[in-house]
């Protein structure tokens, strides 16, 4: 059985949100390196989606390993776009005939709903929804003093009698 309670937040997220309790923020896990990229095998719409996300978020938000999650989100978005275009076509019929002659909703509705759910799930994990971004606050941009960090600093002890 795993730990109880909510999953711990990343140290970088805790720093952005602020630290009113002044408890030390422990860095959990490892920091991924590199930069996310748009895989060549993705549809042009999905590649454009990844590039837009990368430009919209602060630098170094996503690492190379996040490419897979971004690709999943972007592919869902590309299929969502395709479903929307199909449903906006003049010849689109909301109710179609099924394989046994019964009336049923057009399959594009099911695709649209599935891709919306997929985007919502990945968007939450990637910090792409407004709620996730609203919780983040950028740290105050104060210039560092040349004396910053001197108080409480441990150094070699100096004695006047030496």
């Amino acid at each position: 059985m795993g730990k109880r309670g909510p999953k711990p937040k990343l140290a970088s997220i805790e720093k952005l949100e602020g630290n009113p309790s002044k408890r030390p923020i422990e860095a959990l896990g490892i920091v991924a390196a590199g930069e996310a990229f748009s895989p060549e095998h993705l549809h042009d719409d999905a590649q454009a989606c990844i590039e837009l996300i990368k430009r919209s978020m602060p630098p170094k938000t996503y690492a190379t390993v996040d490419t897979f999650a971004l690709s999943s989100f972007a592919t869902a978005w590309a299929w969502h776009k395709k479903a929307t275009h199909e449903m906006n076509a003049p010849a689109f019929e909301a109710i179609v005939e099924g394989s046994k002659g019964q009336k049923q909703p057009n399959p594009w509705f099911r695709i649209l709903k599935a891709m919306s759910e997929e985007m919502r799930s990945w968007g939450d994990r990637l910090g792409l929804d407004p709620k996730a971004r609203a919780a983040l606050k950028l740290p105050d941009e104060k210039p560092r003093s040349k004396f910053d960090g001197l108080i409480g600093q441990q150094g070699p002890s100096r004695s006047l009698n030496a």
Side-chain angles (χ1 to χ4, degrees):
M1 187 177 206
K3 290 183 178 181
R4 294 178 157 232
K7 291 181 184 178
K9 293 180 182 179
L10 296 172
S12 57
I13 300 292
E14 284 191 19
K15 287 177 185 175
L16 285 174
E17 290 177 344
N19 187 10
S21 66
K22 305 295 183 208
R23 293 182 182 156
I25 297 175
E26 295 181 30
L28 302 172
I30 58 172
V31 176
E35 186 177 325
F37 60 93
S38 299
E40 294 176 8
H41 70 278
L42 293 182
H43 189 272
D44 290 343
D45 286 338
Q47 288 184 357
C49 179
I50 291 175
E51 292 305 317
L52 178 69
I53 291 169
K54 286 174 29 183
R55 284 194 314 266
S56 299
M57 296 298 277
K60 298 183 180 181
T61 300
Y62 303 114
T64 304
V65 296
D66 298 321
T67 298
F68 308 111
L70 287 167
S71 296
S72 295
F73 177 88
T75 300
W77 179 83
W79 276 105
H80 186 277
K81 179 181 174 184
K82 171 75 172 161
T84 304
H85 281 296
E86 291 293 327
M87 294 169 77
N88 287 331
F92 179 78
E93 294 182 23
I95 305 295
V96 296
E97 194 172 298
S99 60
K100 298 180 182 174
Q102 77 281 12
K103 298 290 184 186
Q104 67 180 31
N106 194 309
W108 283 112
F109 284 111
R110 191 170 52 249
I111 292 170
L112 186 74
K113 181 181 180 202
M115 294 305 105
S116 294
E117 290 171 358
E118 191 78 12
M119 289 168 41
R120 192 175 314 113
S121 173
W122 282 112
D124 184 48
R125 295 176 188 172
L126 292 167
L128 300 179
D129 62 56
K131 182 180 175 186
R133 286 191 312 275
L136 299 178
K137 296 180 187 105
L138 293 175
D140 294 333
E141 295 286 331
K142 295 178 185 173
R144 283 190 67 164
S145 165
K146 64 181 179 180
F147 302 110
D148 191 26
L150 289 178
I151 296 178
Q153 200 172 33
Q154 297 292 333
S157 61
R158 296 182 182 171
S159 172
L160 294 175
N161 297 334

